[in-house]
Amino acid sequence: MRILCSFFLLFVAVFSVAQTTPSSSSEFPKEIPNFDLTAMDKTIDPCVDFYQYACGNWMQNNPIPPDKSSWGRFNELAERNRYVLRGILEQAEAPGEHSAIEQKVGDYYAACMDETVVEKRGTEPLAPPMSAIAAIKTKQELIQQIAAMQRDGISALFTFGQMPDMHDSRQTIANLDQGGLSLADRDYYIKDDAKSVETRQKYLEHVQKMLELLGDKPDVAAAEAKTVLAVETGLAKPSMDRTARRDPKTRDHMMQTAEVVALAPNFEFTQYFVNSGAPKFTSLNVSNPDFFKQVNQQLSSVSLDDWKTYLRWRALDTYAPILPKAFVDEDFQFNGAYMSGQKEIEPRWKRCVRSTDQNLGMALGQLYVDKTFGPEGKERTLKLVQAVEAAMHQDIGQLTWMSDTTKQKAYEKLNAIVNNIGYPDKWRDYSTVVVKRDDYAGNVTRASTFEVQRELNKIGKPTDKKDWGMTPPTVNAYYRSNMNDINFPAGILQPPFYGKTMDDAVNYGAIGMVIGHELSHGFDDQGRKFDADGNFKNWWTAEDGKAFEDRASCTADEYSSFVAVKDDKGEVKLNGRLTLGENTADNGGVKLAYMALTNIIGNTPVKPIDGYTPQQRFFIAYGQVWCENVADQQARKWAIIDSHSPGRWRTNGVVQNSAAFAEAFGCKAGQPMVSKNACRVW
Ligand SMILES: [Zn+2]
């Protein structure tokens, strides 16, 4: 398990200057401007609603496309990139001379696109797990089957994986954690508000329909759906909520394997660990021991038949996207349309590009990088990173609330941060993954099995800090507190985040801010609890720790007052504690990027461009990164599961805390974009 503090929830991807020709060039999305005057609504006073000012016209002119549940600048980039990747994949699947990597991703994509074969094979891909489940006769066999399914990438009952030892991050250890839910959060099973009750009803109907498609009679399928919901509710109740999990202390439970076996004997862990495929180990971390204690009881109280019904559903739910159209459509009706507000399913080719990125992403990413990025991109970015790191050093030095003792430790941590830029030094080797042109389901399963095993093989070995958690075309970035590294995939190092010919003000407002955001994660409510080596170890004096918590509480309370969505089902506010780390990183990131810009342009007057001063351009570029429209259903879902705030609050929440913003736009105390109680951590 990695602690990823990503920049954006969706693992979406961006474009670049591609030399490939997409199948229909008229469809190919336009290049995205770095600084977009047409996006702005200049009838709005920036001191009253800056987000509306920076993005008003964009929001007006860019409705959510029917095959999306939200649409923003990130999605525009991701979509454009999807066309680039499609070009690469269509070339790779066409007849002709190909490298081994091209051949592999090309065959994978071709198999995915061949719907005729997928239809003809029907539910045959599900036969192996289904017959294995049917053959289970004892609870011991049940656990063995769960191990087998997990090895094929089907999540069930709990999760088992690897993570750096929280107290010695140089070593990678095994980790057991809660899991086994089909819906995206425990809240969906537990909360009693009207919307949650409705969601469970829709979920029951969905499970029933899927099982009917599999051939179960309607009354049988209805009863099975109830069983699935009951079993999953039993797993949801002892699961820790997302906000509690932000504190690493709640997940820190090192145990001997014998202790784990004794903690939850019904899990048959001695046998499970052998069957899991993990190398042998004698101790491991258990993120949520209570979960295993409570589910241990359920393993005896719930009947074997009910567990088997649950496993059938987990297999069917996981396989849904690779089965014939009827299954894909029903899966979309629930997960896409009902849960996220998406009107239409994406065309097959987009889903196949996503699938290739998901399952052979480091191979496809290698082709993408060859075409679009290159070593000079790495160098350019490193210079920006160094400038923002220097600003952070300066910022720490100026803090009035932190003692010199803690400052020394903060410098140590800052200096130790590893910068991973663009793409991994060493490409992942997929040579053992068999890809067949006429076996899409088999390809997905074999790639999943490979990935599960690759992760498990890390157990007992020195931690590999060079292993990437995102594929290169991804439009995102992340910080890992247990690695103390920041990572910027090639996908985000492009317009509108970075433009080779853009003025510094715009580049620092966009990509500079992303860099500052990731650096700040090392010092947010979660990251600050890890030291320079990525170990969970306090390096703060008690007084400084208290000063931090007071400042963080200000931010948490501030964002808790922001409305995430308001529709006929009522109003949902942001969870300021769940989003605290991201909000801290946004506020810190803008502050650091602005300092870095000031270090460059100094006090020498710079001529306005397009009528805006560099300071104004910095903030407009920042705001425009967040231009978006979001379906109400998606906004509701994000309010529950996403640790990031919506674009409106990522913009307005930050600027209302910023004195530099007020100065740039001449905003006065009392105006909405000047907070009475400005919160500042970094
Ligand atoms: Zn973040």
Side-chain angles (χ1 to χ4, degrees):
M1 184 190 68
R2 282 200 202 87
I3 302 172
L4 277 191
C5 289
S6 67
F7 186 63
F8 192 63
L9 178 74
L10 295 180
F11 290 174
V12 287
V14 91
F15 89 113
S16 176
V17 192
Q19 276 100 49
T20 47
T21 317
S23 353
S24 164
S25 52
S26 61
E27 281 178 59
F28 199 92
K30 290 196 304 281
E31 184 161 338
I32 294 133
N34 281 78
F35 188 86
D36 191 356
L37 290 167
T38 66
M40 300 173 69
D41 179 353
K42 292 182 198 165
T43 66
I44 300 287
D45 181 345
C47 301
V48 171
D49 184 346
F50 185 64
Y51 186 63
Q52 194 65 33
Y53 174 75
C55 292
N57 277 358
W58 188 94
M59 289 190 283
Q60 181 86 35
N61 296 328
N62 292 276
I64 305 169
D67 70 345
K68 298 288 183 297
S69 56
S70 68
W71 188 242
R73 281 263 121 121
F74 273 86
N75 307 90
E76 282 186 287
L77 288 169
E79 193 75 341
R80 194 162 194 277
N81 188 51
R82 219 160 278 130
Y83 278 83
V84 174
L85 294 175
R86 178 198 203 178
I88 293 172
L89 288 167
E90 286 183 349
Q91 260 181 19
E93 72 162 345
E97 282 279 301
H98 296 300
S99 69
I101 289 174
E102 285 168 342
Q103 191 68 47
K104 187 152 283 184
V105 298
D107 286 347
Y108 183 96
Y109 182 73
C112 179
M113 288 299 290
D114 194 343
E115 284 185 272
T116 316
V117 172
V118 170
E119 288 300 320
K120 212 161 69 192
R121 291 192 62 194
T123 56
E124 179 201 310
L126 261 175
M130 289 305 186
S131 56
I133 293 165
I136 296 171
K137 290 195 185 60
T138 63
K139 293 258 166 101
Q140 286 89 334
E141 287 173 9
L142 175 81
I143 299 292
Q144 285 172 33
Q145 175 56 21
I146 286 171
M149 285 166 64
Q150 290 175 346
R151 289 184 79 164
D152 284 344
I154 305 169
S155 72
L157 193 60
F158 62 94
T159 49
F160 176 64
Q162 55 77 31
M163 64 181 239
D165 184 338
M166 279 166 90
H167 300 281
D168 180 7
S169 68
R170 292 167 305 176
Q171 282 298 315
T172 293
I173 58 168
N175 184 54
L176 275 176
D177 205 349
Q178 65 194 38
L181 303 181
S182 305
L183 296 172
D185 194 275
R186 72 189 284 279
D187 276 10
Y188 288 116
Y189 297 91
I190 292 165
K191 284 174 94 177
D192 278 328
D193 59 284
K195 183 69 186 175
S196 302
V197 172
E198 182 199 273
T199 301
R200 288 195 288 276
Q201 185 52 41
K202 296 277 185 192
Y203 179 53
L204 280 173
E205 290 162 18
H206 166 60
V207 176
Q208 178 181 344
K209 278 183 202 152
M210 291 288 282
L211 288 165
E212 282 181 38
L213 287 173
L214 200 59
D216 295 0
K217 295 218 166 63
D219 55 329
V220 175
E224 288 170 331
K226 283 192 180 130
T227 299
V228 167
L229 182 61
V231 169
E232 293 186 353
T233 305
L235 301 178
K237 283 181 179 160
S239 293
M240 240 191 294
D241 72 66
R242 284 171 196 276
T243 309
R245 284 173 70 86
R246 290 190 60 73
D247 185 350
K249 198 168 73 215
T250 63
R251 294 177 269 116
D252 179 24
H253 310 281
M254 197 65 182
M255 291 185 185
Q256 296 299 307
T257 46
E259 288 177 86
V260 179
V261 172
L263 171 80
N266 291 337
F267 280 84
E268 309 278 345
F269 276 127
T270 309
Q271 189 59 42
Y272 171 83
F273 291 141
V274 174
N275 293 352
S276 71
K280 228 171 137 36
F281 54 89
T282 54
S283 60
L284 70 159
N285 188 62
V286 181
S287 292
N288 181 0
D290 231 38
F291 175 85
F292 290 94
K293 241 191 265 177
Q294 292 195 41
V295 177
N296 185 63
Q297 285 166 10
Q298 292 171 38
L299 275 167
S300 47
S301 63
V302 174
S303 75
L304 187 62
D305 279 346
D306 285 358
W307 281 115
K308 287 164 72 169
T309 299
Y310 163 71
L311 287 195
R312 281 182 82 223
W313 166 247
R314 287 306 312 128
L316 176 57
D317 186 38
T318 307
Y319 274 61
I322 56 179
L323 292 175
K325 189 170 180 298
F327 291 89
V328 172
D329 286 350
E330 173 52 33
D331 183 55
F332 167 76
Q333 280 309 323
F334 180 72
N335 288 304
Y338 175 70
M339 292 300 285
S340 305
Q342 196 176 327
K343 291 196 173 64
E344 287 171 10
I345 194 164
E346 283 187 324
R348 181 98 187 163
W349 74 262
K350 289 187 193 174
R351 285 178 275 143
C352 289
V353 169
R354 279 181 202 276
S355 175
T356 318
D357 178 58
Q358 203 174 332
N359 289 309
L360 296 173
M362 288 298 179
L364 179 57
Q366 192 173 346
L367 301 176
Y368 170 83
V369 164
D370 286 348
K371 286 218 182 299
T372 63
F373 195 64
E376 79 286 353
K378 247 184 188 180
E379 226 153 271
R380 278 199 312 267
T381 311
L382 194 59
K383 279 202 182 115
L384 285 159
V385 171
Q386 284 161 348
V388 181
E389 282 177 345
M392 182 150 215
H393 198 275
Q394 196 182 337
D395 176 54
I396 292 167
Q398 292 168 1
L399 295 176
T400 52
W401 54 270
M402 189 186 265
S403 69
D404 282 343
T405 320
T406 306
K407 280 184 183 179
Q408 287 313 315
K409 296 282 180 191
Y411 292 141
E412 262 174 48
K413 179 163 184 178
L414 174 62
N415 293 339
I417 290 176
V418 174
N419 303 317
N420 294 323
I421 293 164
Y423 51 93
D425 293 343
K426 205 172 141 237
W427 289 106
R428 194 165 297 167
D429 177 8
Y430 291 101
S431 56
T432 58
V433 182
V434 176
V435 172
K436 298 180 187 166
R437 219 169 158 100
D438 60 353
D439 184 14
Y440 178 49
N443 296 340
V444 171
T445 306
R446 285 185 290 272
S448 303
T449 309
F450 167 82
E451 183 55 21
V452 169
Q453 193 60 50
R454 197 185 68 82
E455 288 284 313
L456 290 177
N457 288 347
K458 295 175 179 175
I459 294 169
K461 300 217 175 70
T463 299
D464 180 7
K465 295 196 180 187
K466 293 281 174 196
D467 192 44
W468 280 61
M470 283 178 190
T471 64
T474 308
V475 185
N476 212 330
Y478 62 96
Y479 170 81
R480 292 183 287 202
S481 45
N482 51 17
M483 306 258 190
N484 197 27
D485 64 355
I486 52 177
N487 302 262
F488 304 96
I492 199 169
L493 304 171
Q494 307 288 342
F497 289 95
Y498 179 77
K500 280 185 225 177
T501 57
M502 285 316 285
D503 45 318
D504 287 327
V506 169
N507 278 336
Y508 276 90
I511 195 69
M513 169 278 296
V514 178
I515 295 165
H517 173 105
E518 300 309 333
L519 285 176
S520 301
H521 269 315
F523 305 85
D524 70 16
D525 60 315
Q526 186 165 244
R528 80 172 188 93
K529 293 177 177 160
F530 292 80
D531 69 8
D533 297 319
N535 291 326
F536 175 37
K537 193 172 165 193
N538 182 36
W539 47 271
W540 297 62
T541 66
E543 229 169 275
D544 292 339
K546 166 96 178 47
F548 176 95
E549 293 300 337
D550 288 348
R551 284 168 175 272
S553 288
C554 177
T555 308
D557 293 344
E558 180 184 31
Y559 281 77
S560 291
S561 72
F562 297 153
V563 175
V565 62
K566 194 175 175 180
D567 60 15
D568 56 343
K569 293 279 188 284
E571 178 186 279
V572 180
K573 287 206 166 123
L574 289 185
N575 176 347
R577 283 283 161 192
L578 174 63
T579 56
L580 178 56
E582 295 302 333
N583 299 331
T584 305
D586 280 345
N587 281 274
V590 168
K591 161 104 185 155
L592 299 177
Y594 191 84
M595 284 175 78
L597 174 66
T598 308
N599 288 342
I600 293 169
I601 61 177
N603 294 323
T604 42
V606 179
K607 271 216 328 240
I609 304 176
D610 308 320
Y612 297 98
T613 67
Q615 290 77 9
Q616 290 171 334
R617 287 173 69 79
F618 172 91
F619 284 105
I620 293 167
Y622 172 67
Q624 290 191 338
V625 162
W626 301 117
C627 297
E628 66 181 12
N629 286 308
V630 182
D632 289 342
Q633 294 93 323
Q634 184 65 276
R636 270 182 183 276
K637 186 169 151 192
W638 279 346
I640 294 171
I641 67 166
D642 192 356
S643 58
H644 304 82
S645 298
R648 169 174 297 276
W649 300 119
R650 294 191 81 158
T651 307
N652 285 355
V654 167
V655 301
Q656 71 179 42
N657 287 327
S658 168
F661 169 79
E663 197 186 323
F665 287 91
C667 305
K668 302 274 178 313
Q671 290 192 283
M673 293 295 104
V674 182
S675 175
K676 275 194 216 70
N677 177 32
C679 299
R680 185 185 156 198
V681 181
W682 297 104

